PDB file of all heavy atoms in Angstrom:
ATOM      1  N   GLY A 100      37.018   9.254   4.460  1.00  0.00           N
ATOM      2  CA  GLY A 100      37.369  10.650   4.290  1.00  0.00           C
ATOM      3  C   GLY A 100      38.330  11.119   5.369  1.00  0.00           C
ATOM      4  O   GLY A 100      38.602  10.419   6.346  1.00  0.00           O
ATOM      5  N   THR A 101      38.818  12.317   5.178  1.00  0.00           N
ATOM      6  CA  THR A 101      39.761  12.887   6.157  1.00  0.00           C
ATOM      7  C   THR A 101      39.218  14.171   6.773  1.00  0.00           C
ATOM      8  O   THR A 101      39.954  14.904   7.429  1.00  0.00           O
ATOM      9  CB  THR A 101      41.106  13.182   5.460  1.00  0.00           C
ATOM     10  OG1 THR A 101      40.879  14.054   4.331  1.00  0.00           O
ATOM     11  CG2 THR A 101      41.756  11.899   4.976  1.00  0.00           C
ATOM     12  N   ASP A 102      37.922  14.426   6.565  1.00  0.00           N
ATOM     13  CA  ASP A 102      37.283  15.620   7.118  1.00  0.00           C
ATOM     14  C   ASP A 102      37.194  15.471   8.639  1.00  0.00           C
ATOM     15  O   ASP A 102      36.584  14.528   9.139  1.00  0.00           O
ATOM     16  CB  ASP A 102      35.886  15.763   6.513  1.00  0.00           C
ATOM     17  CG  ASP A 102      35.194  17.053   6.948  1.00  0.00           C
ATOM     18  OD1 ASP A 102      35.682  17.720   7.880  1.00  0.00           O
ATOM     19  OD2 ASP A 102      34.148  17.383   6.353  1.00  0.00           O
ATOM     20  N   PRO A 103      37.789  16.403   9.404  1.00  0.00           N
ATOM     21  CA  PRO A 103      37.756  16.270  10.877  1.00  0.00           C
ATOM     22  C   PRO A 103      36.365  16.470  11.463  1.00  0.00           C
ATOM     23  O   PRO A 103      36.131  16.155  12.634  1.00  0.00           O
ATOM     24  CB  PRO A 103      38.728  17.365  11.345  1.00  0.00           C
ATOM     25  CG  PRO A 103      38.733  18.369  10.243  1.00  0.00           C
ATOM     26  CD  PRO A 103      38.566  17.583   8.976  1.00  0.00           C
ATOM     27  N   GLN A 104      35.401  17.000  10.674  1.00  0.00           N
ATOM     28  CA  GLN A 104      34.061  17.272  11.192  1.00  0.00           C
ATOM     29  C   GLN A 104      33.030  16.230  10.775  1.00  0.00           C
ATOM     30  O   GLN A 104      31.841  16.388  11.060  1.00  0.00           O
ATOM     31  CB  GLN A 104      33.595  18.655  10.744  1.00  0.00           C
ATOM     32  CG  GLN A 104      34.470  19.782  11.258  1.00  0.00           C
ATOM     33  CD  GLN A 104      33.808  21.127  11.091  1.00  0.00           C
ATOM     34  OE1 GLN A 104      32.914  21.505  11.852  1.00  0.00           O
ATOM     35  NE2 GLN A 104      34.229  21.850  10.076  1.00  0.00           N
ATOM     36  N   SER A 105      33.460  15.179  10.098  1.00  0.00           N
ATOM     37  CA  SER A 105      32.519  14.123   9.721  1.00  0.00           C
ATOM     38  C   SER A 105      33.259  12.804   9.610  1.00  0.00           C
ATOM     39  O   SER A 105      34.473  12.773   9.402  1.00  0.00           O
ATOM     40  CB  SER A 105      31.829  14.455   8.398  1.00  0.00           C
ATOM     41  OG  SER A 105      32.727  14.391   7.316  1.00  0.00           O
ATOM     42  N   VAL A 106      32.507  11.714   9.751  1.00  0.00           N
ATOM     43  CA  VAL A 106      33.081  10.386   9.639  1.00  0.00           C
ATOM     44  C   VAL A 106      32.036   9.457   9.033  1.00  0.00           C
ATOM     45  O   VAL A 106      30.841   9.627   9.249  1.00  0.00           O
ATOM     46  CB  VAL A 106      33.549   9.850  11.021  1.00  0.00           C
ATOM     47  CG1 VAL A 106      32.367   9.669  11.958  1.00  0.00           C
ATOM     48  CG2 VAL A 106      34.317   8.550  10.862  1.00  0.00           C
ATOM     49  N   ARG A 107      32.508   8.486   8.260  1.00  0.00           N
ATOM     50  CA  ARG A 107      31.618   7.513   7.623  1.00  0.00           C
ATOM     51  C   ARG A 107      31.906   6.129   8.211  1.00  0.00           C
ATOM     52  O   ARG A 107      33.068   5.737   8.365  1.00  0.00           O
ATOM     53  CB  ARG A 107      31.845   7.494   6.114  1.00  0.00           C
ATOM     54  CG  ARG A 107      30.949   6.508   5.353  1.00  0.00           C
ATOM     55  CD  ARG A 107      31.317   6.492   3.873  1.00  0.00           C
ATOM     56  NE  ARG A 107      31.127   7.800   3.277  1.00  0.00           N
ATOM     57  CZ  ARG A 107      29.979   8.222   2.735  1.00  0.00           C
ATOM     58  NH1 ARG A 107      28.924   7.412   2.725  1.00  0.00           N
ATOM     59  NH2 ARG A 107      29.888   9.411   2.202  1.00  0.00           N
ATOM     60  N   LEU A 108      30.822   5.381   8.510  1.00  0.00           N
ATOM     61  CA  LEU A 108      30.947   4.043   9.054  1.00  0.00           C
ATOM     62  C   LEU A 108      30.128   3.075   8.202  1.00  0.00           C
ATOM     63  O   LEU A 108      29.091   3.458   7.653  1.00  0.00           O
ATOM     64  CB  LEU A 108      30.433   3.969  10.487  1.00  0.00           C
ATOM     65  CG  LEU A 108      31.137   4.790  11.564  1.00  0.00           C
ATOM     66  CD1 LEU A 108      30.506   6.173  11.672  1.00  0.00           C
ATOM     67  CD2 LEU A 108      31.053   4.077  12.908  1.00  0.00           C
ATOM     68  N   PRO A 109      30.528   1.823   8.110  1.00  0.00           N
ATOM     69  CA  PRO A 109      29.730   0.848   7.373  1.00  0.00           C
ATOM     70  C   PRO A 109      28.429   0.553   8.100  1.00  0.00           C
ATOM     71  O   PRO A 109      28.328   0.707   9.326  1.00  0.00           O
ATOM     72  CB  PRO A 109      30.638  -0.384   7.323  1.00  0.00           C
ATOM     73  CG  PRO A 109      31.571  -0.227   8.462  1.00  0.00           C
ATOM     74  CD  PRO A 109      31.795   1.248   8.619  1.00  0.00           C
ATOM     75  N   GLY A 110      27.435   0.124   7.339  1.00  0.00           N
ATOM     76  CA  GLY A 110      26.130  -0.149   7.922  1.00  0.00           C
ATOM     77  C   GLY A 110      26.170  -1.182   9.026  1.00  0.00           C
ATOM     78  O   GLY A 110      25.384  -1.126   9.983  1.00  0.00           O
ATOM     79  N   ALA A 111      27.082  -2.141   8.924  1.00  0.00           N
ATOM     80  CA  ALA A 111      27.179  -3.200   9.931  1.00  0.00           C
ATOM     81  C   ALA A 111      27.626  -2.678  11.289  1.00  0.00           C
ATOM     82  O   ALA A 111      27.512  -3.381  12.298  1.00  0.00           O
ATOM     83  CB  ALA A 111      28.143  -4.283   9.446  1.00  0.00           C
ATOM     84  N   ALA A 112      28.125  -1.442  11.327  1.00  0.00           N
ATOM     85  CA  ALA A 112      28.613  -0.880  12.594  1.00  0.00           C
ATOM     86  C   ALA A 112      27.525  -0.146  13.358  1.00  0.00           C
ATOM     87  O   ALA A 112      27.819   0.617  14.280  1.00  0.00           O
ATOM     88  CB  ALA A 112      29.782   0.077  12.313  1.00  0.00           C
ATOM     89  N   VAL A 113      26.255  -0.376  13.021  1.00  0.00           N
ATOM     90  CA  VAL A 113      25.177   0.414  13.622  1.00  0.00           C
ATOM     91  C   VAL A 113      25.091   0.195  15.130  1.00  0.00           C
ATOM     92  O   VAL A 113      24.825   1.153  15.883  1.00  0.00           O
ATOM     93  CB  VAL A 113      23.827   0.100  12.925  1.00  0.00           C
ATOM     94  CG1 VAL A 113      23.394  -1.343  13.145  1.00  0.00           C
ATOM     95  CG2 VAL A 113      22.755   1.064  13.397  1.00  0.00           C
ATOM     96  N   ASP A 114      25.318  -1.024  15.616  1.00  0.00           N
ATOM     97  CA  ASP A 114      25.251  -1.243  17.064  1.00  0.00           C
ATOM     98  C   ASP A 114      26.331  -0.452  17.790  1.00  0.00           C
ATOM     99  O   ASP A 114      26.077   0.174  18.833  1.00  0.00           O
ATOM    100  CB  ASP A 114      25.397  -2.734  17.381  1.00  0.00           C
ATOM    101  CG  ASP A 114      24.138  -3.521  17.045  1.00  0.00           C
ATOM    102  OD1 ASP A 114      23.103  -2.883  16.760  1.00  0.00           O
ATOM    103  OD2 ASP A 114      24.197  -4.765  17.067  1.00  0.00           O
ATOM    104  N   GLU A 115      27.535  -0.496  17.254  1.00  0.00           N
ATOM    105  CA  GLU A 115      28.629   0.281  17.860  1.00  0.00           C
ATOM    106  C   GLU A 115      28.328   1.778  17.795  1.00  0.00           C
ATOM    107  O   GLU A 115      28.659   2.538  18.715  1.00  0.00           O
ATOM    108  CB  GLU A 115      29.943  -0.029  17.148  1.00  0.00           C
ATOM    109  CG  GLU A 115      30.487  -1.431  17.389  1.00  0.00           C
ATOM    110  CD  GLU A 115      29.798  -2.502  16.563  1.00  0.00           C
ATOM    111  OE1 GLU A 115      28.917  -2.143  15.739  1.00  0.00           O
ATOM    112  OE2 GLU A 115      30.124  -3.687  16.721  1.00  0.00           O
ATOM    113  N   LEU A 116      27.692   2.199  16.690  1.00  0.00           N
ATOM    114  CA  LEU A 116      27.352   3.612  16.540  1.00  0.00           C
ATOM    115  C   LEU A 116      26.330   4.035  17.589  1.00  0.00           C
ATOM    116  O   LEU A 116      26.476   5.079  18.236  1.00  0.00           O
ATOM    117  CB  LEU A 116      26.803   3.857  15.128  1.00  0.00           C
ATOM    118  CG  LEU A 116      26.530   5.303  14.732  1.00  0.00           C
ATOM    119  CD1 LEU A 116      27.812   6.118  14.728  1.00  0.00           C
ATOM    120  CD2 LEU A 116      25.870   5.357  13.354  1.00  0.00           C
ATOM    121  N   ILE A 117      25.296   3.220  17.777  1.00  0.00           N
ATOM    122  CA  ILE A 117      24.284   3.521  18.797  1.00  0.00           C
ATOM    123  C   ILE A 117      24.936   3.605  20.173  1.00  0.00           C
ATOM    124  O   ILE A 117      24.702   4.549  20.935  1.00  0.00           O
ATOM    125  CB  ILE A 117      23.177   2.447  18.783  1.00  0.00           C
ATOM    126  CG1 ILE A 117      22.364   2.547  17.491  1.00  0.00           C
ATOM    127  CG2 ILE A 117      22.267   2.592  20.000  1.00  0.00           C
ATOM    128  CD1 ILE A 117      21.368   1.420  17.308  1.00  0.00           C
ATOM    129  N   GLN A 118      25.769   2.630  20.491  1.00  0.00           N
ATOM    130  CA  GLN A 118      26.409   2.595  21.804  1.00  0.00           C
ATOM    131  C   GLN A 118      27.316   3.797  22.016  1.00  0.00           C
ATOM    132  O   GLN A 118      27.334   4.407  23.093  1.00  0.00           O
ATOM    133  CB  GLN A 118      27.206   1.303  21.954  1.00  0.00           C
ATOM    134  CG  GLN A 118      27.835   1.108  23.329  1.00  0.00           C
ATOM    135  CD  GLN A 118      28.538  -0.231  23.441  1.00  0.00           C
ATOM    136  OE1 GLN A 118      28.744  -0.905  22.440  1.00  0.00           O
ATOM    137  NE2 GLN A 118      28.898  -0.619  24.648  1.00  0.00           N
ATOM    138  N   GLY A 119      28.048   4.167  20.968  1.00  0.00           N
ATOM    139  CA  GLY A 119      28.997   5.265  21.109  1.00  0.00           C
ATOM    140  C   GLY A 119      28.343   6.627  21.188  1.00  0.00           C
ATOM    141  O   GLY A 119      28.835   7.518  21.889  1.00  0.00           O
ATOM    142  N   LEU A 120      27.206   6.820  20.483  1.00  0.00           N
ATOM    143  CA  LEU A 120      26.599   8.150  20.427  1.00  0.00           C
ATOM    144  C   LEU A 120      25.520   8.374  21.475  1.00  0.00           C
ATOM    145  O   LEU A 120      25.263   9.512  21.849  1.00  0.00           O
ATOM    146  CB  LEU A 120      26.001   8.388  19.031  1.00  0.00           C
ATOM    147  CG  LEU A 120      26.991   8.376  17.856  1.00  0.00           C
ATOM    148  CD1 LEU A 120      26.260   8.721  16.554  1.00  0.00           C
ATOM    149  CD2 LEU A 120      28.134   9.342  18.086  1.00  0.00           C
ATOM    150  N   ALA A 121      24.869   7.299  21.917  1.00  0.00           N
ATOM    151  CA  ALA A 121      23.749   7.471  22.848  1.00  0.00           C
ATOM    152  C   ALA A 121      24.179   8.199  24.118  1.00  0.00           C
ATOM    153  O   ALA A 121      23.462   9.059  24.635  1.00  0.00           O
ATOM    154  CB  ALA A 121      23.143   6.114  23.194  1.00  0.00           C
ATOM    155  N   SER A 122      25.346   7.858  24.635  1.00  0.00           N
ATOM    156  CA  SER A 122      25.802   8.493  25.876  1.00  0.00           C
ATOM    157  C   SER A 122      26.126   9.968  25.685  1.00  0.00           C
ATOM    158  O   SER A 122      26.251  10.707  26.659  1.00  0.00           O
ATOM    159  CB  SER A 122      27.028   7.760  26.412  1.00  0.00           C
ATOM    160  OG  SER A 122      28.084   7.800  25.455  1.00  0.00           O
ATOM    161  N   GLY A 123      26.247  10.401  24.412  1.00  0.00           N
ATOM    162  CA  GLY A 123      26.553  11.808  24.145  1.00  0.00           C
ATOM    163  C   GLY A 123      25.331  12.681  23.955  1.00  0.00           C
ATOM    164  O   GLY A 123      25.453  13.891  23.717  1.00  0.00           O
ATOM    165  N   VAL A 124      24.135  12.098  24.024  1.00  0.00           N
ATOM    166  CA  VAL A 124      22.898  12.883  23.904  1.00  0.00           C
ATOM    167  C   VAL A 124      22.586  13.514  25.253  1.00  0.00           C
ATOM    168  O   VAL A 124      22.454  12.819  26.270  1.00  0.00           O
ATOM    169  CB  VAL A 124      21.716  11.993  23.456  1.00  0.00           C
ATOM    170  CG1 VAL A 124      20.440  12.821  23.362  1.00  0.00           C
ATOM    171  CG2 VAL A 124      22.030  11.337  22.114  1.00  0.00           C
ATOM    172  N   HIS A 125      22.445  14.838  25.281  1.00  0.00           N
ATOM    173  CA  HIS A 125      22.187  15.543  26.535  1.00  0.00           C
ATOM    174  C   HIS A 125      20.726  15.922  26.704  1.00  0.00           C
ATOM    175  O   HIS A 125      20.153  15.747  27.774  1.00  0.00           O
ATOM    176  CB  HIS A 125      23.061  16.798  26.623  1.00  0.00           C
ATOM    177  CG  HIS A 125      24.527  16.507  26.596  1.00  0.00           C
ATOM    178  ND1 HIS A 125      25.173  15.809  27.593  1.00  0.00           N
ATOM    179  CD2 HIS A 125      25.490  16.801  25.675  1.00  0.00           C
ATOM    180  CE1 HIS A 125      26.467  15.700  27.309  1.00  0.00           C
ATOM    181  NE2 HIS A 125      26.678  16.287  26.134  1.00  0.00           N
ATOM    182  N   ARG A 126      20.099  16.439  25.617  1.00  0.00           N
ATOM    183  CA  ARG A 126      18.727  16.947  25.767  1.00  0.00           C
ATOM    184  C   ARG A 126      17.733  16.206  24.880  1.00  0.00           C
ATOM    185  O   ARG A 126      16.687  15.777  25.354  1.00  0.00           O
ATOM    186  CB  ARG A 126      18.681  18.440  25.424  1.00  0.00           C
ATOM    187  CG  ARG A 126      19.564  19.309  26.299  1.00  0.00           C
ATOM    188  CD  ARG A 126      19.424  20.777  25.918  1.00  0.00           C
ATOM    189  NE  ARG A 126      19.672  21.006  24.489  1.00  0.00           N
ATOM    190  CZ  ARG A 126      20.891  21.157  23.968  1.00  0.00           C
ATOM    191  NH1 ARG A 126      21.959  21.087  24.754  1.00  0.00           N
ATOM    192  NH2 ARG A 126      21.045  21.377  22.677  1.00  0.00           N
ATOM    193  N   GLU A 127      18.088  16.047  23.596  1.00  0.00           N
ATOM    194  CA  GLU A 127      17.071  15.596  22.648  1.00  0.00           C
ATOM    195  C   GLU A 127      17.699  14.801  21.507  1.00  0.00           C
ATOM    196  O   GLU A 127      18.749  15.160  20.984  1.00  0.00           O
ATOM    197  CB  GLU A 127      16.319  16.813  22.073  1.00  0.00           C
ATOM    198  CG  GLU A 127      15.267  16.489  21.049  1.00  0.00           C
ATOM    199  CD  GLU A 127      14.675  17.739  20.419  1.00  0.00           C
ATOM    200  OE1 GLU A 127      15.451  18.490  19.769  1.00  0.00           O
ATOM    201  OE2 GLU A 127      13.471  17.979  20.582  1.00  0.00           O
ATOM    202  N   LEU A 128      17.032  13.712  21.133  1.00  0.00           N
ATOM    203  CA  LEU A 128      17.409  12.937  19.952  1.00  0.00           C
ATOM    204  C   LEU A 128      16.182  12.840  19.050  1.00  0.00           C
ATOM    205  O   LEU A 128      15.156  12.287  19.456  1.00  0.00           O
ATOM    206  CB  LEU A 128      17.883  11.533  20.342  1.00  0.00           C
ATOM    207  CG  LEU A 128      18.176  10.584  19.175  1.00  0.00           C
ATOM    208  CD1 LEU A 128      19.337  11.092  18.330  1.00  0.00           C
ATOM    209  CD2 LEU A 128      18.457   9.166  19.682  1.00  0.00           C
ATOM    210  N   CYS A 129      16.290  13.393  17.848  1.00  0.00           N
ATOM    211  CA  CYS A 129      15.215  13.320  16.860  1.00  0.00           C
ATOM    212  C   CYS A 129      15.590  12.255  15.830  1.00  0.00           C
ATOM    213  O   CYS A 129      16.641  12.365  15.183  1.00  0.00           O
ATOM    214  CB  CYS A 129      15.003  14.662  16.161  1.00  0.00           C
ATOM    215  SG  CYS A 129      14.537  16.004  17.285  1.00  0.00           S
ATOM    216  N   GLN A 130      14.757  11.253  15.680  1.00  0.00           N
ATOM    217  CA  GLN A 130      15.046  10.152  14.773  1.00  0.00           C
ATOM    218  C   GLN A 130      14.009  10.075  13.657  1.00  0.00           C
ATOM    219  O   GLN A 130      12.810  10.164  13.910  1.00  0.00           O
ATOM    220  CB  GLN A 130      15.032   8.815  15.524  1.00  0.00           C
ATOM    221  CG  GLN A 130      16.169   8.602  16.485  1.00  0.00           C
ATOM    222  CD  GLN A 130      16.082   7.214  17.100  1.00  0.00           C
ATOM    223  OE1 GLN A 130      15.069   6.840  17.672  1.00  0.00           O
ATOM    224  NE2 GLN A 130      17.151   6.446  16.983  1.00  0.00           N
ATOM    225  N   ILE A 131      14.483   9.909  12.429  1.00  0.00           N
ATOM    226  CA  ILE A 131      13.610   9.597  11.299  1.00  0.00           C
ATOM    227  C   ILE A 131      13.822   8.129  10.957  1.00  0.00           C
ATOM    228  O   ILE A 131      14.951   7.693  10.716  1.00  0.00           O
ATOM    229  CB  ILE A 131      13.915  10.487  10.086  1.00  0.00           C
ATOM    230  CG1 ILE A 131      13.518  11.939  10.373  1.00  0.00           C
ATOM    231  CG2 ILE A 131      13.178   9.982   8.849  1.00  0.00           C
ATOM    232  CD1 ILE A 131      13.818  12.901   9.236  1.00  0.00           C
ATOM    233  N   VAL A 132      12.735   7.370  10.962  1.00  0.00           N
ATOM    234  CA  VAL A 132      12.788   5.941  10.656  1.00  0.00           C
ATOM    235  C   VAL A 132      11.978   5.704   9.388  1.00  0.00           C
ATOM    236  O   VAL A 132      10.770   5.911   9.388  1.00  0.00           O
ATOM    237  CB  VAL A 132      12.215   5.104  11.812  1.00  0.00           C
ATOM    238  CG1 VAL A 132      12.312   3.619  11.491  1.00  0.00           C
ATOM    239  CG2 VAL A 132      12.941   5.431  13.108  1.00  0.00           C
ATOM    240  N   PRO A 133      12.607   5.278   8.298  1.00  0.00           N
ATOM    241  CA  PRO A 133      11.872   5.082   7.047  1.00  0.00           C
ATOM    242  C   PRO A 133      11.042   3.817   7.067  1.00  0.00           C
ATOM    243  O   PRO A 133      11.238   2.926   7.903  1.00  0.00           O
ATOM    244  CB  PRO A 133      12.987   4.986   6.006  1.00  0.00           C
ATOM    245  CG  PRO A 133      14.149   4.445   6.755  1.00  0.00           C
ATOM    246  CD  PRO A 133      14.038   5.006   8.151  1.00  0.00           C
TER     247      PRO A 133
END
Side-chain angles (χ1 to χ4, degrees):
T101 56
D102 185 348
Q104 298 194 77
S105 69
V106 64
R107 180 184 299 271
L108 297 90
V113 65
D114 286 350
E115 291 79 3
L116 186 63
I117 292 173
Q118 184 176 12
L120 298 184
S122 60
V124 179
H125 299 295
R126 300 182 306 276
E127 178 186 62
L128 174 64
C129 299
Q130 290 183 305
I131 292 179
V132 181

